[in-house]
Amino acid sequence: MIFLKTEDEIELMRQSNRLVGKTLGELAKLIKPGITTAELDRVAEEFIRDNGAIPTFKGFPGSFGTNFPGSICVSVNDQVVHGIPNDDPLKDGDIISVDCGTLLNGFCGDSAYTFCVGEVDDKTKKLLEITKESLYLGIENAIVGKRIGDIGYAVQQHCEPKGYGVVREFVGHGIGKDMHEDPQVPNYGRRGTGSLLKKGMCIAIEPMVTLGDRNIVMESDGWTVRTKDGKPAAHFEHTVAVCHGKADILSTFEYIEEVLGE
Ligand code: MG
Ligand code: MG
């Protein structure tokens, strides 16, 4: 069932999503060679709780019976999504996708960003650029009168013709009081197909794009998703409210971009 949100509810969603953006901005200050993902997780959890919210990922039930142990998902290099924070230090040349979710005043925020650690090679930097562009092209289609398939089509058409892989097994989603609501929002699709987009729908759009082919494998921890060919993957995500003419982006990269000087 798709829940349409009122203007007041969308403002609450914006507050939760802005907190996610601020949390990612705090992490942007720390992401350097030598820091561990466990340290990033600790900082994120403290920041979220200090701001009166709950990290929604912590304890999230998985399909293999284990609850997610971290407050953020940290996916390094060939890890696509759902990486578990650990004590391995990040290295110069790594990339790290950080996915963050909050519950504030009863509403969820959800956003992700892929960061460079030190100096990253040009091919991988281009992957990040293309993935981020594909997110905004998807968002351009999150308007009243379009359909879910238009979003996925826009993402896919920006990535696949250039030789990048678009992951299919994991998708974006409706979001509100629950982190995952209907409808699913795939990063591939056909124009003019799928659910009709209506005013008040809130959805998380989150392309997961690979430098090689799109095949993935799940690690034995039951969470971490990697590319099968070992090539890097990027993940950018915004939560948006569907509007007439232009989507309202509820999450924000402005705190990250301020730190990165972008
Ligand atoms: Mg997310
Ligand atoms: Mg999401």
Side-chain angles (χ1 to χ4, degrees), residues 57 82 98-101 109-112 173 179-180 204 206 235 237:
F57 296 175
H82 304 164
V98 182
D99 195 348
C100 181
D110 189 7
S111 180
H173 48 90
M179 191 165 66
H180 296 128
E206 48 179 314
H235 180 209
E237 175 180 27

Side-chain angles (χ1 to χ4, degrees), residues 140-213:
E140 280 179 17
N141 284 273
I143 55 174
V144 174
K146 294 253 189 186
R147 289 180 181 272
I148 287 290
D150 294 314
I151 297 172
Y153 178 84
V155 171
Q156 185 180 17
Q157 286 310 309
H158 191 60
C159 300
E160 284 186 353
K162 298 180 184 69
Y164 298 97
V166 174
V167 172
R168 309 243 176 143
E169 291 85 348
F170 295 88
V171 296
H173 48 90
I175 177 167
K177 288 182 177 167
D178 282 317
M179 191 165 66
H180 296 128
E181 297 184 353
D182 289 335
Q184 292 202 338
V185 186
N187 297 302
Y188 61 93
R190 285 178 29 231
R191 276 185 287 194
T193 64
S195 300
L196 188 62
L197 300 178
K198 294 182 183 159
K199 176 125 181 91
M201 277 176 73
C202 291
I203 53 176
I205 302 175
E206 48 179 314
M208 291 149 247
V209 181
T210 65
L211 199 50
D213 71 40

Side-chain angles (χ1 to χ4, degrees), residues 79-191:
Q79 297 178 344
V80 184
V81 284
H82 304 164
I84 296 173
N86 65 25
D87 292 322
D88 298 336
L90 294 175
K91 301 184 303 293
D92 188 50
D94 284 347
I95 56 168
I96 176 173
S97 302
V98 182
D99 195 348
C100 181
T102 56
L103 181 68
L104 178 67
N105 298 321
F107 284 89
C108 290
D110 189 7
S111 180
Y113 196 94
T114 303
F115 298 88
C116 293
V117 182
E119 268 314 304
V120 169
D121 70 80
D122 289 345
K123 254 170 98 173
T124 306
K125 271 199 271 198
K126 191 76 188 167
L127 166 71
L128 271 49
E129 193 183 308
I130 294 292
T131 308
K132 194 178 184 185
E133 283 170 5
S134 77
L135 167 62
Y136 286 106
L137 291 168
I139 290 172
E140 280 179 17
N141 284 273
I143 55 174
V144 174
K146 294 253 189 186
R147 289 180 181 272
I148 287 290
D150 294 314
I151 297 172
Y153 178 84
V155 171
Q156 185 180 17
Q157 286 310 309
H158 191 60
C159 300
E160 284 186 353
K162 298 180 184 69
Y164 298 97
V166 174
V167 172
R168 309 243 176 143
E169 291 85 348
F170 295 88
V171 296
H173 48 90
I175 177 167
K177 288 182 177 167
D178 282 317
M179 191 165 66
H180 296 128
E181 297 184 353
D182 289 335
Q184 292 202 338
V185 186
N187 297 302
Y188 61 93
R190 285 178 29 231
R191 276 185 287 194

